[in-house]
Amino acid sequence: MPGNSNTSGTNGSVVPPARTACAFIPRFPVALQIRDDPSLEQVPFAVAPGQARRDRVTALSNRARAAGVKIGMTTVQALSACSELRLLSPRPGQAERAALELLEALQTVSPAVEPAGDAGSGLFYLDPRGLSRVHGDEPRLLSRVVDALKEVGFRQVRAAVAGTRFAAFAAVICGERNLTVVPDGEQREFLAPLPLELLPLSASDRERLHALGLKTIGDFAALPAPSVEVRYGAAGIHAHRLARGLSSDLLTRMPETELFEETFELELRVADRLLLMPILETLLGRLLLRLDGRGILLMVAEFLLDDDQVVEAAAEPAAPCTDPRTLLTLLALEIDRLRFSAPVVETSLRVVSATPKTREQGRLFARRQRDADRMRRTLARLQALFGKQALSHPGLRASHRPEARTVEDPAACVASPSAPYGSGNSGGSGGELVTSLRLFDPPRAARVRLESGRIHSFSFSGQESLRVRLRFGPRRISSGWWERPFDRDYFQIATADQGLYWLFRDRIANRWYVHGLFD
Amino acid sequence: MNAAYAELHCHSNFSFLEGASHIESLVERAVRLGYRALALTDRDGLYGAAAFHRICSESGLKPIHGAEVTLTSGHHVTLLVKNGRGWSNLTRLLTAARMRCRKGSAAATFEELAGHAEGLIALSGCSRGEIPQALLRGDEALAEAIAERYRSAFGGGFYLELQSLLGAADELLMARLEWLGRRLKIPRVATGNAHFAAPDDRRLQDVLTAIAHKTDLDRAGTLLHANDDRFLKPIEEIAHRFRRFPEAVARTVRIAERCAFSLDELSYRFPAFFVPPPDTPFSYLHRLAQDGARIRYRPLSPRAARQIAYELDVIERLDLAGYFLIVWDIVRFAREQGILCQGRGSAANSAVCYCLGITSVDPVGLDLLFERFISEERKETPDIDIDFAHRDREKVIQYVYDRYGRDHAGMVCEFISYRGRSAVRDVGKALGLSLAQVEQATETLEARRAGAMAEELRSLTGSGRLGPARELGLDLEGPRMRHLVGLVDAIDRFPRHLSIHVGGMVITERPLSEVVPIENAAMAGRSVIQWDKDDLAQLGIIKIDLLGLGMLTVLQDALALIREHEGREIDLAQLGCDDPAVYDMICAADTVGLFQIESRAQMNILPRLEPRCFYDLVVEVALIRPGPIQGEMVHPYLRRRAGKEPVTYPHPSLEPILKRTLGVPLFQEQGMKLAITAAGFSAGEADELRRAMGHKRSQERMDRLAKRLLEGMLNNGIDADTAARIFKQLAAFASYGFPESHAASFALLVYASAYLKKYHHASFTAATLNAQPMGFYSPATLINDAKRHGVKFRPIDARHSHYDCTLEDGAVRIGLRYVRGVGEQLREPFERTRRQAPFQSPEDFVHRSGLSKAMLENLALLGGFRGFGLEPRPALWKLQALTASSPGPLAAVRPKEPDVKLPPLTEAETLEVEYGLSGLSTTSQPLCLFRNFLDQKQVTRARDLTRARHGRPVRIAGLVICRQRPPTAKGFTFLTLEDETGTANVVIRPDVYEQHRPLIRNAPLIVVDGRLEKVDGVINLQATHFYRLR
């Protein structure tokens, strides 16, 4: 039975007790930002996925919390509570890279490490079995864990080891000290005084248990299992097992995480980058074979130089990618931008993030997504060719401001089969006329000559003055007073040389612009 | 350029959440711009018509009534009223369009539009009109066909509407409309489609649009207007915009001239009351009044007979007999149904109403002024307000609908307007704030009116008052938040939506829909007219207020309980109002649960005023009102009553009027009599003065009457200073004081409730608990007070409790209605089931009671299954199994569950459960839990305060049962604390309040240090420090 110490196996051999270690960085998204920019400790800041008005705050510094900002607020609401708030968006791959660093650090302690949840959780499980000869007893092992994580730059780290994963998790969350060792076979006793809130129960079930006067995990564990099942169903019985220190929820070994790396030691020092590409191609081929169909999300090539410097190049396709040509192209583009201070003596290729392994059985009944896959590959190629920033997904928004009617979403959203191209808000009100076929972004400043209050001629972009033959307007748009006010009078202009232009006068700044022309 | 112009298309804020200006602002701007006329064309309604008529009359602008009507196709058409026929056609059309749809929407068919075209002018509408839409799609043939259809319906009263709002398609649309008009020979007319008065109002317009679409400004996008052009423009600007169509501008004036209808023409009559031949309504009323007089007055004094005869004479001259009979008939119906009722307000000034049984106080005996009720000089019909036991009021309303028909009866509407909290909430959300943020902000701010709240916000901006500013949860220095203040100010008093007036009904002889549009109310079976009580008063339309009064329900139910459990029949009319023991109780301010005199302020006055007779109660009811408080009349009255100040009169001639109130004017009637005696006003003029001083005062009218009043007093030998003082007193209570008759009606209920509390406390408390929510105190406080008076309570019990609270052996058994989640809809089925057979076991109760799983679990935790031998937690454990959603296929053969040991509820947990799940406790009071600790801290019990000495420092603690910060109290705050021995009053100075504001506002349990004040038997603690108790 899991949790019992030194259980005998079927062949009479002694099975080592099930033990799981857990490492945790409290408030990881905030800690990560401070690690990367220590000056943030002095200012109120919040982390949100983006800076758009509807993006919601996902993490907060203590100063921001004290100022009344709360997790879940939109950025507008957060700024309304604290106008000095700094809004930070995690850089692409920032959390993943940090998680990788942490993972690597932990792998120096144990070969079997598993991140819990997504990269932003700051929670990792380790298999401590068989490491006593390397690190000593469990307290020493935990010290090593903490030291390893601190070396990566995180100051606050908690670690624990226990007979079950849940007990280890509970220990890092609720343990009295930063390091907690729950002796083998004592996880039930350890868990008993801890609050019910740690158990994976629905809020209503938790409330019903509280109403019964049950406050701790031990109170819950004392209930008869059949009675729990009748009242709280399968979820209840699962939580009940956890509460009793019983769990089949052992650490899933993920040696692949560590092993998705290929290294090539060069016999010669290579100064020509072109020579590196065949080597990388070979390494990538090996990795793809081992990845067995998983799509690569982030891949890093590392070059050890003759002067002991290390240089990195990352390939981050827009969508999970298995196409070697795309990945190599991305890498090549990155490598082109690098500066090598000395010839390369060793190169390695490491997969930082990949999609989970696909279960073929599950795909039997799934709709085929060939088009989506093709789209992903195409996007990856385009990004490789034109750069990541050059590629985006145009969307339509209902706005009176012409240049705000199209927005650029990250290209990745196109790759999702649930978001087909062109499914955005069509915007605009019915009956509106097509105003321009080609917009200048930004609008071009114009010099306008008026006669009797009417536009007589204009010039822009250093061109010669254009004489106006016909004018139509004004059409006035003004809005945005609550944030970025604009107030414009638009005119459709036909010039003497048969050109058709779209001019506006900025009524706030009293300046003229050409916003577009009719082809 | 001197072109003439009349605006024929204009929305006010009565186009709910569409128009962004008050009618006053629109009219004022139209006058300033020199418009010849202004049409009010609110969306699908005539909500603002009466106010528009009044404001235009005052400003000299010609009003044109109309509406923008929505068709079933979603298109709009603009309709203007030419004459009386057009008015009734428009009201009928709007009624049809509204009654087809749920509340808030309207849709008229074209057939209905065509069928009601007589007397109306139709304009083709904005860009959402049927013709503009066809033209914008380029479907000219369809546009032609539609235009022909409209012309055939409206003949020469149909015009194509040209609008120039600097929109994308305006120029094109105008050109096409012009082309269509020329082709079909349909005249064109220019309109502005104004949605607000001035360009700056556009911000509020955007906010309203966001509110209406339940979005915020960032997401509103093209829901907002493209620009700020929908305002009332200078005529020169209009002439410039329509320079290619000058005839369309000139035509506006010609159309305005054709619209000659005035609301003054509106003919209204209440329905004839059927009387058996050969009687006439008056002869029938006369007989009823004489019959009633013989019952009411025993014997009928010559003075009473003279008054009745005088009133009947006035009623006959004003042709009001039918109206009195209608009201009498409603009261008769209520009495037949056993529904307790009583007239309130100025109707109690009428001896005829007293004789008809409409009111309960004798105006002759109390020497009340009939002219306060009816005046021949006033061209207004009298208001009769009747209170009914609130639980049964709906029966009375449905009787009126049945008796007069839904075509002839309707509920009066009430415009729900923006006030402080709603303004900050809606504007804040439109600016992108979260619900939690706006809730926090509104809970922090003190002001009630939106304008005052904006002022408060302004004072916090950069004020350095960090406490309140931090509590607010908003950084007012932020760019977006700066807009909040101005917008909250601007939205002040804006009507947001329509609601039903608390009880006003209109009954008409001709179909009501020919007078005013009717629409569906949110409540099933109710319809509501588009005018509120002020509109009706202005237009001379009689309203009858059928109000619900909780205390009448309490009295009705208490009498039934007394009858059932004590075998005694009590007739409230025969109480006599003279029992010294009842007055002793009132003098001791032992008034929790009583009508009108249970508030902290009333309790503070009672020991000083020491009421010993019925008229003292009348004074007590009238004294604690904003009017007498603002007029600084309370303390002079109390001093005079206590003999600490001589009784004097501003002038000897006023002694007869003010003698009963010791020279201090307290009642509206006294104000009127003062004007009559001191300044020579007629009774009608005096009433006009009262109204002019009222809530919605007109400065011009007020100035005129004030001048006349002051002159009159000077002519009668009253010096200028005294005259000014009298005028100030009159102004103070004219609007916020009670009429004496109203105070007398309420005083009757005060005495009745006090009598029942004194002699039948258990029945009275049970009835009060069943009538909740009402009154000043929570059920928990009512129970604690009753317990201190020896009333026994029994907890909720699945075996014994009914839906309502009942009496068992003289004790109050709490009913299931106090289990959280149990609602009125369970009353009938539960009682039916209970009658069939008593509940035998928890399983039986779960099976038959009809309570949901959550309700059963709440009942279990409240100890409701103790009768079956189950303590709360074991009961809950058992119920969780009995109500498990999927017991599984083996449930029937499942072995008996092992016993589970669950911790019993502690005293603190029991209290928490009781307060949390039922809002009351029959076992304990929260302070009991802290008593040992409080004793260590030298905290005085509430009942021991009577023994403490004046001026000594004292520390008390308690549950905050009342927090008040009345606007008349100059920043002072008052708390009432309750401990297990009684209640204590705390007075907080403004500086102390600012220091402890979060705690005072939010803490449920509190410890207060202060200095004891004992004056005239009234005990208060002047607070100096506060501590949280937890």
Side-chain angles (χ1 to χ4, degrees), chain B residues 18-33:
Chain B
E18 279 190 47
S21 289
H22 289 292
I23 292 175
E24 289 90 334
S25 310
L26 293 166
V27 171
E28 186 190 328
R29 186 168 168 91
V31 170
R32 202 166 63 242
L33 294 174

Side-chain angles (χ1 to χ4, degrees), chain A residues 198-210:
Chain A
L198 286 172
L199 285 169
L201 284 164
S202 69
S204 63
D205 281 349
R206 204 174 295 136
E207 199 177 311
R208 294 168 79 206
L209 289 167
H210 276 304

Side-chain angles (χ1 to χ4, degrees), chain A residues 155-174:
Chain A
R155 287 184 222 162
Q156 276 203 321
V157 179
R158 296 171 69 86
V161 60
T164 64
R165 177 193 286 239
F166 176 67
F169 163 76
V172 291
I173 302 293
C174 295

Side-chain angles (χ1 to χ4, degrees), chain B residues 907-952:
Chain B
E907 190 186 357
E909 285 175 333
T910 302
L911 262 177
E912 190 184 338
V913 163
E914 288 182 335
Y915 273 84
L917 298 182
S918 70
L920 53 83
S921 168
T922 56
T923 56
S924 187
Q925 205 271 349
L927 266 285
C928 292
L929 302 175
F930 299 92
R931 187 45 67 191
N932 287 340
F933 168 78
L934 295 174
D935 284 344
Q936 286 168 22
K937 300 288 177 191
Q938 281 88 44
V939 172
T940 306
R941 287 170 173 78
R943 71 162 174 236
D944 295 337
L945 289 176
T946 49
R947 293 203 295 272
R949 282 175 32 214
H950 173 75
R952 303 290 298 175

Side-chain angles (χ1 to χ4, degrees), chain B residues 417-425 442 444-457 488 491-493 626 776 963-969 972-974 1001:
Chain B
S417 301
Y418 275 106
R419 291 171 62 81
R421 285 184 173 213
S422 55
V424 172
R425 194 179 298 130
T442 53
T444 307
L445 297 166
E446 305 279 357
R448 294 179 185 175
R449 291 277 303 274
M453 202 169 260
E455 202 50 53
E456 196 179 349
L457 283 168
V488 166
I491 208 171
D492 190 20
R493 295 186 297 110
F776 213 72
R963 278 187 192 88
Q964 279 188 315
R965 206 156 187 257
T968 50
F972 276 76
T973 304
F974 305 96
R1001 288 180 63 92

Side-chain angles (χ1 to χ4, degrees), chain B residues 54 208 262 299 394 470 538 556 660 783 813 871 934:
Chain B
R54 176 175 51 79
L208 294 172
S262 163
E394 188 59 26
R470 197 170 292 139
Q538 180 196 324
Q556 186 174 297
R660 279 204 299 184
I783 286 177
R813 168 72 74 183
E871 284 301 302
L934 295 174

Side-chain angles (χ1 to χ4, degrees), chain B residues 952-965:
Chain B
R952 303 290 298 175
V954 171
R955 174 177 290 169
I956 61 169
L959 177 72
V960 181
I961 58 173
C962 171
R963 278 187 192 88
Q964 279 188 315
R965 206 156 187 257

Side-chain angles (χ1 to χ4, degrees), chain B residues 40 251 353 486 559 616 750 787 854 924 939 998:
Chain B
L40 188 68
R251 196 167 283 122
C353 284
L559 295 181
D616 288 347
V750 171
K787 277 160 72 178
S924 187
V939 172

